[in-house]
C-alpha cells in the first residue's frame, strides 16, 4: 500500500511540465516588473486598450458621422469640446477615442500573421539543410531588401482600401525580419546536445521542429512580437495618412490625413493635428519599451551591450 500511495502521490509528466512552465512565467513576470521602462510601456498600452474596448461607452458613435455633427468648424478646445472640432464640426476627442481601435486591431492582427509566417519560415530555414533551406533563406533576403513602403502601397492598391486588405498587406510584408531572427536562433538550437540525441534516437524533422526547436525559440517569438506590433501600428498610420486606408474606418492616420488636407497647419488648428500624432508616438514607444524589456529577459547579453 505504501508503494501504491507513493506512486499515486508522484506527479505525472504533464503536471510537472505545467508546474515548471508556471514557475518560468512567474520568474519572467518578476523580472519584467523590475524593468521600469517596460512597466511604464505596459501601463500605457493597458490604458489605450481600455479606451479602445470602452469606446462605445466613453463617446457617442453617432457623432462620427459628418451629417450628425452640430459643432462649429475647426473650433478650438472648449468645455463642450475638450479637444476642439474638425473640419466637419465633429468632436476631435470622439474621433480620437474611436480612432484608437483601428491601429490597435490592425497592428495586433497583422503582427500575428507576420509572426506566424516568419516563425514557420525561420524554423524551416534553420532546421533544413541543402537546397530547401537555402531557397527559404534567399526568399527571406529578397523580401527584406525590398523597400516596405512601395511594396505596401502596390499591394494596398491591388487589394483595395478595406481594413482586411490593410491587415493582409502589413502582415505579408512584415515577416522577413522575424524569419531571420528565428532562423539564427534555430541554427543555435540545432547544435545543442539534446538535438543530437533526438536525431540518434530517430526523431524526424517535424518532431525536431515542433518538440525541440519551437519551445526553445518561443520566448524570442514573444519578445519579437511586441516589437513588431509597434512597426505594424506605424505602418497602418502611414498607409491611412497617405490615403490607402479604409475610408469608412476612423483611425489616427485618417485624422492626420484630414488635418493636412484641410490645411490645419496653416490655419493653426493644432488641436486637430497634435492629438492623433501624440497617440501614435505613445503607442509605438510603449510597445517598443515593453518589447525591449522582454528582450532583456530572453537575452540578457543585449542588456549588457546597451
Amino acid at each position: 500500500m505504501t508503494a501504491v500511495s507513493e506512486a499515486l502521490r508522484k506527479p505525472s509528466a504533464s503536471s510537472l511540465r505545467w508546474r515548471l512552465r508556471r514557475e518560468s512565467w512567474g520568474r519572467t513576470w518578476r523580472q519584467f516588473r523590475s524593468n521600469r521602462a517596460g512597466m511604464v510601456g505596459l501601463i500605457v498600452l493597458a490604458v489605450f486598450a481600455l479606451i479602445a474596448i470602452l469606446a462605445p461607452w466613453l463617446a457617442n458613435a453617432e457623432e462620427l458621422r459628418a451629417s450628425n455633427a452640430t459643432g462649429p468648424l475647426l473650433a478650438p478646445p472648449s468645455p463642450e469640446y475638450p479637444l476642439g472640432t474638425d473640419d466637419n464640426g465633429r468632436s476631435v476627442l470622439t474621433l480620437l477615442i474611436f480612432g484608437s481601435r483601428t491601429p490597435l486591431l490592425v497592428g495586433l492582427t497583422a503582427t500575428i500573421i507576420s509572426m506566424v509566417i516568419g516563425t514557420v519560415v525561420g524554423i524551416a530555414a534553420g532546421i533544413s539543410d541543402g537546397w530547401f533551406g537555402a531557397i527559404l533563406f534567399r526568399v527571406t533576403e529578397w523580401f527584406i531588401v525590398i523597400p516596405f513602403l512601395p511594396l505596401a502601397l502596390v499591394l494596398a492598391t491591388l487589394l483595395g482600401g478595406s481594413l482586411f486588405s490593410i491587415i493582409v498587406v502589413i502582415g505579408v510584408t512584415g515577416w522577413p525580419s522575424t524569419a531571420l531572427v528565428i532562423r539564427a536562433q534555430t541554427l543555435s538550437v540545432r547544435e545543442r546536445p539534446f538535438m543530437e540525441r533526438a536525431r540518434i534516437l530517430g526523431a524526424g524533422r517535424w518532431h525536431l521542429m515542433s518538440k525541440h526547436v519551437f519551445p526553445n525559440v518561443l520566448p524570442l517569438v514573444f519578445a519579437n512580437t511586441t516589437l513588431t506590433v509597434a512597426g505594424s501600428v506605424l505602418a497602418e498610420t502611414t498607409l491611412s495618412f497617405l490615403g490607402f486606408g479604409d475610408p469608412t474606418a476612423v483611425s489616427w492616420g485618417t485624422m492626420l490625413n484630414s488635418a493636412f488636407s484641410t490645411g490645419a497647419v496653416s490655419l493653426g488648428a493644432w488641436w486637430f493635428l497634435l492629438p492623433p500624432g501624440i497617440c501614435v508616438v505613445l503607442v509605438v514607444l510603449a510597445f517598443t519599451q515593453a518589447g525591449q524589456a522582454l528582450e532583456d529577459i530572453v537575452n540578457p547579453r543585449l542588456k549588457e551591450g546597451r
Side-chain angles (χ1 to χ4, degrees):
M1 291 295 294
T2 304
V4 174
S5 60
E6 289 180 356
L8 292 175
R9 287 197 300 268
K10 186 178 180 180
S12 62
S14 60
S15 63
L16 180 60
R17 183 165 57 249
W18 278 108
R19 190 184 71 182
L20 293 175
R21 288 178 180 176
R22 287 195 297 268
E23 292 176 354
S24 177
W25 293 339
R27 287 194 302 269
T28 301
W29 172 241
R30 287 192 295 270
Q31 292 176 352
F32 186 88
R33 282 189 303 177
S34 64
N35 190 307
R36 293 184 179 180
M39 284 301 299
V40 170
L42 185 62
I43 292 172
V44 171
L45 292 177
V47 171
F48 276 103
L50 285 176
I51 291 174
I53 294 172
L54 301 177
W57 293 274
L58 297 176
N60 186 6
E62 295 297 326
E63 297 179 1
L64 297 176
R65 298 180 180 179
S67 58
N68 295 334
T70 58
L73 305 183
L74 290 178
S78 62
E80 185 177 1
Y81 301 101
L83 291 180
T85 60
D86 68 348
D87 57 316
N88 292 313
R90 298 176 296 180
S91 172
V92 173
L93 180 59
T94 301
L95 294 173
L96 202 67
I97 291 174
F98 279 94
S100 63
R101 299 180 127 192
T102 300
L104 291 178
L105 173 64
V106 172
L108 292 172
T109 310
T111 298
I112 292 174
I113 296 175
S114 63
M115 294 305 298
V116 170
I117 298 174
T119 302
V120 172
V121 173
I123 293 178
I127 203 70
S128 302
D129 295 317
W131 62 270
F132 184 70
I135 289 177
L136 289 177
F137 180 60
R138 296 306 175 189
V139 170
T140 304
E141 284 187 325
W142 182 78
F143 267 95
I144 207 167
V145 297
I146 298 178
F148 162 77
L149 190 57
L151 179 60
L153 293 179
V154 170
L155 292 176
T157 304
L158 294 175
L159 297 177
S162 66
L163 199 62
F164 174 76
S165 65
I166 296 300
I167 292 173
V168 172
V169 166
I170 298 175
V172 169
T173 57
W175 63 268
S177 58
T178 300
L180 290 180
V181 173
I182 299 302
R183 177 182 178 272
Q185 183 67 12
T186 302
L187 291 174
S188 174
V189 171
R190 64 178 291 184
E191 301 300 327
R192 296 178 184 174
F194 66 87
M195 291 288 290
E196 185 65 27
R197 289 195 296 268
R199 292 192 192 96
I200 295 174
L201 292 174
R205 183 171 299 173
W206 174 253
H207 181 85
L208 293 174
M209 292 173 58
S210 60
K211 300 298 183 181
H212 298 285
V213 177
F214 182 69
N216 282 279
V217 302
L218 190 59
L220 190 60
V221 172
F222 283 140
N224 200 46
T225 298
T226 312
L227 294 172
T228 306
V229 176
S232 299
V233 170
L234 200 57
E236 187 279 330
T237 304
T238 302
L239 292 175
S240 298
F241 172 71
L242 294 175
F244 289 88
D246 188 351
T248 63
V250 180
S251 72
W252 297 331
T254 57
M255 291 178 65
L256 291 172
N257 178 274
S258 299
F260 275 91
S261 299
T262 56
V265 177
S266 59
L267 294 174
W270 56 267
W271 56 88
F272 191 19
L273 183 66
L274 288 182
I278 292 174
C279 287
V280 172
V281 172
L282 287 177
V283 169
V284 171
L285 285 178
F287 272 116
T288 302
Q289 293 297 329
Q292 288 182 349
L294 286 176
E295 269 194 334
D296 292 340
I297 297 172
V298 174
N299 191 356
R301 289 177 294 181
L302 295 176
K303 185 176 181 180
E304 296 173 359
R306 290 174 184 163

